[in-house]
């Protein structure tokens, strides 16, 4: 039987693989869907599925003390991150935006300290900071001045996502991984479902199949299934430690952007991802 740390790494890796398809799928979806509608629709669809799960398994309601943290998770990962990335992808390519995911381990670890009570050693921060500096450096050399809005939106998305990950992981320790994301989706459902209906396209039948498939992926996998594995992994293996697996996400995401969208994956992109991954892989040893 696997110990919690090993199980946490396995669950975390599955979550990362699922999340890697989010930005390419969003890039496809925003070709036909308004970014705001896409954000609301994916959350509403996942919220209905989450509600079905909660009813099916007859889950007890969260404690009153859990409501505010669940609201934070809802605002960060249900609304904030999807909306900010959808808006960013109107200005930058999926391949370019994926490299910003290299900042997520550091953001997650920072909030793991603030909200999860973890205390990584100094070497961890040195190595993670170096990895983050490489990511920012790459962005500056790849046309930051040409698309500052997209890059700033991606940076904001990383901050809110790190907070949502850490808060959700903390809650998962006593609520469970799929329960946390299901309750967070349910909290937002009255707003997301109502607003999505109001902002729905005039002629949904005219929407292209690729955009519909993109919406289906981000609704089912990115917004629900991925979080089931991810929150469980963070809770089992530690927020700062398992959070380092996010550095594998650029590799998977860049490959998908190249294969599915035909975007150019340059050697500098691969080199930046490899260098950042090496830094954070080393930092993982000092996460506890």
């Amino acid at each position: 039987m696997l110990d919690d740390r090993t199980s946490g790494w396995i669950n975390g890796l599955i979550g990362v693989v699922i999340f890697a398809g989010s930005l390419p799928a969003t890039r496809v979806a925003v070709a036909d869907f308004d970014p705001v509608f896409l954000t609301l629709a994916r959350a509403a669809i996942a919220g209905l599925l989450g509600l079905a799960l909660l009813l099916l398994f007859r889950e007890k309601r969260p404690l009153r003390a859990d409501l505010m943290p669940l609201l934070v998770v809802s605002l960060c990962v249900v609304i904030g991150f999807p909306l900010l990335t959808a808006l960013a992808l109107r200005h930058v390519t999926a391949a370019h935006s994926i490299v910003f995911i290299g900042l997520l381990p550091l953001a997650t670890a920072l909030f793991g300290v603030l909200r999860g009570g973890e205390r990584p050693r100094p070497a961890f921060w040195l190595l993670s900071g170096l990895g983050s500096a490489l990511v920012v450096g790459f962005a500056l050399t790849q046309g930051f001045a040409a698309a500052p809005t997209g890059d700033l939106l991606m940076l904001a998305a990383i901050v809110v996502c790190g907070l949502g990950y850490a808060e959700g992981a903390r809650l998962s320790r006593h609520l469970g991984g799929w329960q946390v994301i299901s309750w967070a989706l349910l909290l937002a459902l009255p707003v997301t479902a109502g607003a999505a209906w109001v902002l729905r396209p005039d002629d949904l039948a005219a929407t292209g199949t690729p955009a519909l498939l993109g919406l289906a992926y981000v609704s089912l996998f990115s917004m629900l299934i991925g979080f089931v594995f991810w929150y469980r992994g963070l809770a089992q293996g530690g927020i700062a430690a398992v959070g380092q697996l996010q550095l594998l996400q650029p590799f998977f995401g860049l490959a998908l952007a190249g294969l599915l969208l035909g975007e150019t994956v340059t050697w500098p992109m691969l080199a930046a991802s490899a260098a950042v991954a090496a830094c954070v892989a080393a930092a993982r040893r000092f996460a506890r």
Side-chain angles (χ1 to χ4, degrees):
M1 191 171 187
L2 299 176
D3 58 43
D4 279 351
R5 188 173 183 182
T6 302
S7 181
W9 280 95
I10 293 173
N11 283 312
L13 181 61
I14 294 172
V16 164
V17 172
I18 292 172
F19 290 150
S22 298
L23 291 178
T26 300
R27 177 72 171 176
V28 171
V30 295
D32 288 351
F33 289 121
D34 177 78
V36 177
F37 169 77
L38 178 65
T39 300
L40 296 167
R42 66 185 277 183
I45 294 170
L48 291 172
L49 293 172
L51 174 60
L53 287 173
L54 292 170
L55 292 174
L56 179 64
F57 292 100
R58 298 181 179 179
E59 287 294 313
K60 294 181 180 179
R61 293 182 181 179
L63 299 174
R64 180 171 296 184
D66 294 327
L67 293 180
M68 187 56 68
L70 279 170
L71 181 60
V72 171
V73 174
S74 184
L75 290 174
C76 288
V77 303
V78 176
I79 302 296
F81 183 73
L83 177 59
L84 290 167
T85 53
L87 292 171
L89 288 168
R90 283 273 176 107
H91 303 276
V92 298
T93 66
H96 181 77
S97 66
I98 283 167
V99 182
F100 280 83
I101 302 302
L103 292 169
L104 259 179
L106 182 58
T108 304
L110 284 169
F111 286 111
V113 170
L114 295 173
R115 299 297 302 152
E118 297 187 359
R119 293 293 183 270
R121 285 178 276 177
F124 170 87
W125 297 111
L126 178 64
L127 290 164
S128 291
L130 177 59
S132 297
L134 288 170
V135 173
V136 174
F138 173 82
L140 291 173
T141 63
Q142 296 297 307
F144 185 88
T149 300
D151 287 331
L152 288 173
L153 285 168
M154 281 303 304
L155 287 173
I158 295 306
V159 173
V160 300
C161 192
L163 174 58
Y165 281 173
E167 201 68 27
R170 190 176 67 85
L171 287 169
S172 294
R173 292 168 183 167
H174 64 276
L175 287 180
W178 73 265
Q179 292 91 335
V180 167
I181 190 59
S182 294
W183 285 116
L185 287 164
L186 185 57
L187 281 177
L189 186 58
V191 173
T192 57
W197 178 259
V198 171
L199 297 175
R200 70 190 186 280
D202 293 331
D203 187 7
L204 190 60
T207 304
T209 299
L212 291 173
L213 290 175
L215 172 60
Y217 186 92
V218 296
S219 300
L220 181 59
F221 290 94
S222 305
M223 201 77 264
L224 183 61
I225 296 176
F227 280 104
V228 173
F229 291 101
W230 183 240
Y231 278 150
R232 184 185 302 164
L234 290 174
Q236 291 174 326
I239 297 170
V242 175
Q244 304 312 298
L245 283 171
Q246 293 166 110
L247 262 294
L248 296 174
Q249 194 166 324
F251 291 106
F252 296 126
L254 288 170
L256 288 171
L259 290 173
L260 301 179
L261 306 182
E263 294 184 0
T264 302
V265 179
T266 65
W267 282 110
M269 286 181 182
L270 294 175
S273 296
V276 174
C279 288
V280 181
R284 180 177 62 85
R285 298 175 53 195
F286 304 99
R288 291 185 174 184

